[in-house]
Amino acid sequence: MRAAVVCGLGGSLPPRIVTNDELAQRLDTSDDWIRTRTGIGRRHVVDPGTTTSHLAAEAGLRALKSSGHHTVDLVVLATTTPDRTCPGTAPTVAARMGLTDVPAYDVSAVCSGFVYALQAGAGAIAAGFAERVMVIGAESFSTILAPDDRTTSVIFGDGAGAVILRAGEPDELGALQHFDLGSDGSMADLITIRGGGAEQRSSGSPARPEDSYFRMDGKSVFFAAVRRMAESSRAVLAKTGWGIEDVDRLVAHQANIRIIHAVAGQLGLPPERALMNIERVGNTSAASIPLALADGFACGSLRAGDRVLLTAFGGGATWGSASLVWPALSSELTLPIENATPLLTAH
Ligand code: COA
């Protein structure tokens, strides 16, 4: 049976860093509140003119370089912040990388988007449609936050992460093992941008300015995220035939440090096995898991042969988990990604 094997990894963060203290200068919040309630110390934010496709292309090229390949047969982009409502952003990303004749499409599953996109990429390989797939999670989330909303402004950040998948064998290092995905559309209002879509346009009412921004019911999301990530993790572990003691690394969506600790707690996993980079980058939504993988690999927390459990929860509501055995990747990525020299200089 063909399996999808991870053979490349890359990340990209915009250079501008916004600290908690900087946010506290314009919002009724504090470094202490943000750190205690979320575990976040700072986040990267795009400068005017930079969009999701720029970050995605940079991460994608880094991943391609680390894989040693020059091209892919398919690009799948997970994002909540496409450059435009129409068309999709993936073809723009592919074109920015010089790939103007490959299939490329967007996946919209908010913070679960990367796991959904990974499953799509793995499925394309398993079906024999593609030999190599680039899967990217990318966000310029700061562009959809209401500037005066302290409950969302302190949490989200911008960035992108990408992996390259190639066709291989299920028992190889790097092979994706199993997936669990789910959704519950009755929770659509918990995480939403109300305006700008068909629902608002067909209502005949003009869009209210406040409806163009991202809104979240943080408390309800918190409890649903812990429950669904724990359940989904258990489901994928059962499919893989792993017990919780077999998991070397939990790479959970970096939503909130308390959410990650609660998921680890519910699973009975020692918290030190959970990989974290939320302090430095905040919640980067669809980019969060591949950025955590890139950081984990760069700092030596992910080693070839590690059994890795990925899990995420996001708007929709959506959730998903995946299991894989970590590959032996090239050491191209040993530099921390925030200090890396850009591969794409001109926007
Ligand atoms: N700074 C200071 N105070 C804040 C604040 C901020 N940025 N945001 C909210 N508060 C206040 C609230 O108004 C409330 O005040 P009150 O007690 O006087 O009413 C108090 O802090 C507690 O608010 P609450 O909403 O109960 O806090 P919380 O512990 O649930 O934390 C979130 C809020 C948003 C951090 C948390 O719910 C969360 O992380 N949710 C998940 C978000 C997420 O990751 N979503 C992405 C998709 S998975």
Side-chain angles (χ1 to χ4, degrees), residues 29 33 37 111 150 155 216 218-219 255-256 258 283 313:
T29 190
W33 192 96
R37 297 292 181 119
C111 302
R150 67 177 179 173
I155 292 177
M216 176 178 72
K219 228 175 195 26
N256 180 320
R258 293 184 296 143
N283 177 342
F313 177 89

Side-chain angles (χ1 to χ4, degrees), residues 157-276:
D158 301 340
V163 298
I164 308 296
L165 304 178
R166 65 162 171 83
E169 303 296 324
D171 55 0
E172 276 185 69
L173 285 185
L176 285 161
Q177 305 288 307
H178 288 277
F179 285 90
D180 174 73
L181 301 178
S183 79
D184 178 357
S186 70
M187 298 168 86
D189 284 345
L190 293 189
I191 291 175
T192 190
I193 299 174
R194 286 197 168 276
E199 182 184 85
Q200 175 256 311
R201 285 166 191 266
S202 79
S203 73
S205 322
R208 298 183 307 166
E210 61 268 33
D211 287 344
S212 65
Y213 290 117
F214 176 87
R215 300 286 174 194
M216 176 178 72
D217 174 350
K219 228 175 195 26
S220 305
V221 168
F222 192 103
F223 293 116
V226 173
R227 182 185 143 214
R228 293 299 190 177
M229 284 200 272
E231 282 175 3
S232 178
S233 294
R234 282 191 204 101
V236 96
L237 289 178
K239 284 186 195 177
T240 313
W242 291 351
I244 195 65
E245 65 287 355
D246 295 319
V247 175
D248 297 307
R249 287 286 174 223
L250 169 70
V251 184
H253 164 48
Q254 306 285 300
N256 180 320
I257 202 166
R258 293 184 296 143
I259 292 180
I260 300 171
H261 281 150
V263 171
Q266 288 214 359
L267 292 172
L269 189 84
E272 60 277 12
R273 290 202 203 157
L275 220 140
M276 305 259 196

Side-chain angles (χ1 to χ4, degrees), residues 13 39-45 155-159 254 276-285 287-288 291-292 295 337-338:
L13 291 166
I40 297 168
R42 58 195 166 121
R43 71 286 296 144
H44 289 248
V45 170
I155 292 177
F156 292 93
D158 301 340
Q254 306 285 300
M276 305 259 196
N277 68 347
I278 189 169
E279 197 276 336
R280 294 196 301 110
V281 298
N283 177 342
T284 57
S285 193
S288 140
L291 271 176
D295 260 350
I337 49 181
E338 56 188 314

Side-chain angles (χ1 to χ4, degrees), residues 6-340:
V6 175
C7 65
L9 175 67
S12 165
L13 291 166
R16 187 149 70 92
I17 293 172
V18 175
T19 62
N20 293 341
D21 285 333
E22 228 174 306
L23 286 177
Q25 284 169 17
R26 63 174 178 86
L27 293 167
D28 182 13
T29 190
S30 66
D31 179 56
D32 182 56
W33 192 96
I34 301 169
R35 282 183 189 275
T36 314
R37 297 292 181 119
T38 70
I40 297 168
R42 58 195 166 121
R43 71 286 296 144
H44 289 248
V45 170
V46 289
D47 283 316
T50 300
T51 63
T52 297
S53 65
H54 296 114
L55 299 176
E58 183 70 38
L61 277 183
R62 264 178 213 298
L64 201 57
K65 195 173 172 201
S66 89
S67 77
H69 296 290
H70 298 292
T71 189
V72 292
D73 310 316
L74 172 66
V75 175
V76 187
L77 170 71
T79 187
T80 318
T81 49
D83 286 7
R84 303 179 189 172
T85 311
C86 170
T89 302
T92 307
V93 174
R96 284 191 190 286
M97 295 185 293
L99 305 173
T100 47
D101 57 359
V102 298
Y105 64 89
D106 292 12
V107 165
S108 175
V110 197
C111 302
S112 312
F114 183 76
V115 180
Y116 269 63
L118 200 60
Q119 195 283 330
I125 286 177
F129 176 75
E131 292 301 308
R132 280 192 297 275
V133 180
M134 180 182 288
V135 181
I136 312 173
E139 303 285 10
S140 42
F141 224 93
S142 60
T143 62
I144 58 168
L145 300 175
D148 59 348
D149 185 353
R150 67 177 179 173
T151 66
T152 55
S153 294
V154 301
I155 292 177
F156 292 93
D158 301 340
V163 298
I164 308 296
L165 304 178
R166 65 162 171 83
E169 303 296 324
D171 55 0
E172 276 185 69
L173 285 185
L176 285 161
Q177 305 288 307
H178 288 277
F179 285 90
D180 174 73
L181 301 178
S183 79
D184 178 357
S186 70
M187 298 168 86
D189 284 345
L190 293 189
I191 291 175
T192 190
I193 299 174
R194 286 197 168 276
E199 182 184 85
Q200 175 256 311
R201 285 166 191 266
S202 79
S203 73
S205 322
R208 298 183 307 166
E210 61 268 33
D211 287 344
S212 65
Y213 290 117
F214 176 87
R215 300 286 174 194
M216 176 178 72
D217 174 350
K219 228 175 195 26
S220 305
V221 168
F222 192 103
F223 293 116
V226 173
R227 182 185 143 214
R228 293 299 190 177
M229 284 200 272
E231 282 175 3
S232 178
S233 294
R234 282 191 204 101
V236 96
L237 289 178
K239 284 186 195 177
T240 313
W242 291 351
I244 195 65
E245 65 287 355
D246 295 319
V247 175
D248 297 307
R249 287 286 174 223
L250 169 70
V251 184
H253 164 48
Q254 306 285 300
N256 180 320
I257 202 166
R258 293 184 296 143
I259 292 180
I260 300 171
H261 281 150
V263 171
Q266 288 214 359
L267 292 172
L269 189 84
E272 60 277 12
R273 290 202 203 157
L275 220 140
M276 305 259 196
N277 68 347
I278 189 169
E279 197 276 336
R280 294 196 301 110
V281 298
N283 177 342
T284 57
S285 193
S288 140
I289 286 183
L291 271 176
L293 293 175
D295 260 350
F297 178 67
C299 71
S301 312
L302 274 173
R303 303 214 184 111
D306 279 352
R307 283 157 299 191
V308 180
L309 170 64
L310 312 180
T311 190
F313 177 89
T318 55
W319 54 89
S321 302
S323 52
L324 76 150
V325 180
W326 194 250
L329 292 176
S330 108
S331 54
E332 285 280 348
L333 265 167
T334 45
L335 280 175
I337 49 181
E338 56 188 314
N339 295 335

